[in-house]
Amino acid sequence: MRIDLHVHSNASDGTDSPAEVMRRAGAAGLDVVALTDHDTQAGVAEARAALPAGLTLVPGMELSCQLEGRSVHLLAYLFDPEDRALSAETAQIRDDRTYRAKAMIDRMRELGADVTWEQVTAIAGDAVVGRPHLARALAASGAIAAPADAFTAEWIGDGGRAFVDRYAPSLTRAVGLVRAAGGVPVLAHPRSPGYEIQDEVIVGLADAGLCGIEVFHHDHDQAERARLIQLAKSLDLITTGGSDDHGVYLPGAPPPEDGNYGLGTETTPPEEYERLLALAPSSTRFP
């Protein structure tokens, strides 16, 4: 089985519709794919309706969190989408994204970039507005050569001249919310540059209910994967993997010539996927 448990659509900051993501997943030869848009499950119904034969969809979400003032991410799988506490939290995160994006546009304009809220929302469509949408608008304005150039101290990188912070729950709180909603929380790419989470923090999160670590990610080299696998074993945590595919928008790199972009380039071992399923109540597995 080929299992990709980290994929985005234009319901958040990906470039392809949920239906197109499912089509590409089937074309890439995947057996299982998780749709994990940022702070929303708005694309799950469309994705489920468009599933090609032989492809299983795992409903998920990538939850925005914070650790000591830094942005970090938590993957949440198979939770109850009607859970009130988790729904209220993600609504607050999405609302604050809007306030933040407008403030960042104001700062970019003060720095000389011809970017407007109308341009950004046209790029985002019905999706939750995020920094990738701002980056694409900034590139379209001619202020930078490519969207990837936006994520620097000059523009909207963390702490940059046009950066504005936003609300996000602590990792520990987020883990508790996902577990209370019947879901399976997995730490997303904990050694990605700017998103690093140290071993001692992961130990504490495991005590708080964390179920897994995303090990197989393009930001993790082989040595880092080996270290994370050992840590996961010591804490009895699942080890997952996923492409973190965003469609044609791949910061700093063009899409592959085969047209499948990143889908399936990183996968979850089948036995770890089975462990993940076993942790979710049967009522939330595939609603």
Side-chain angles (χ1 to χ4, degrees), residues 54 148 179 192 274:
R179 288 299 297 268
S192 289
E274 294 299 329

Side-chain angles (χ1 to χ4, degrees), residues 37-40 61-64 90 93-94 97 166:
D37 282 313
H38 293 282
D39 308 310
T40 183
M61 179 171 65
E62 188 169 13
L63 190 60
S64 301
T90 53
I93 294 169
R94 292 194 299 271
R97 277 181 177 270
R166 63 184 171 87

Side-chain angles (χ1 to χ4, degrees), residues 99-101 103-105 107 131 156-157 159-160 162-166:
Y99 304 138
R100 175 210 203 190
M104 292 174 81
I105 288 169
R107 291 195 181 184
R131 278 192 286 178
I156 59 173
F163 176 80
V164 175
D165 211 346
R166 63 184 171 87

Side-chain angles (χ1 to χ4, degrees), residues 27-110:
L30 291 174
D31 299 291
V32 179
V33 64
L35 189 63
T36 53
D37 282 313
H38 293 282
D39 308 310
T40 183
Q41 284 204 315
V44 169
E46 180 184 330
R48 185 179 290 117
L51 274 178
L55 181 64
T56 296
L57 172 66
V58 176
M61 179 171 65
E62 188 169 13
L63 190 60
S64 301
C65 306
Q66 61 86 19
L67 175 66
E68 299 176 349
R70 293 188 297 114
S71 177
V72 289
H73 294 160
L74 183 74
L75 291 160
Y77 300 105
L78 300 169
F79 55 87
D80 177 3
E82 303 300 322
D83 182 83
R84 289 187 178 183
L86 185 56
S87 295
E89 194 73 17
T90 53
Q92 183 174 352
I93 294 169
R94 292 194 299 271
D95 288 346
D96 202 61
R97 277 181 177 270
T98 299
Y99 304 138
R100 175 210 203 190
K102 289 180 177 179
M104 292 174 81
I105 288 169
D106 289 342
R107 291 195 181 184
M108 288 189 287
R109 292 183 65 81
E110 291 170 1

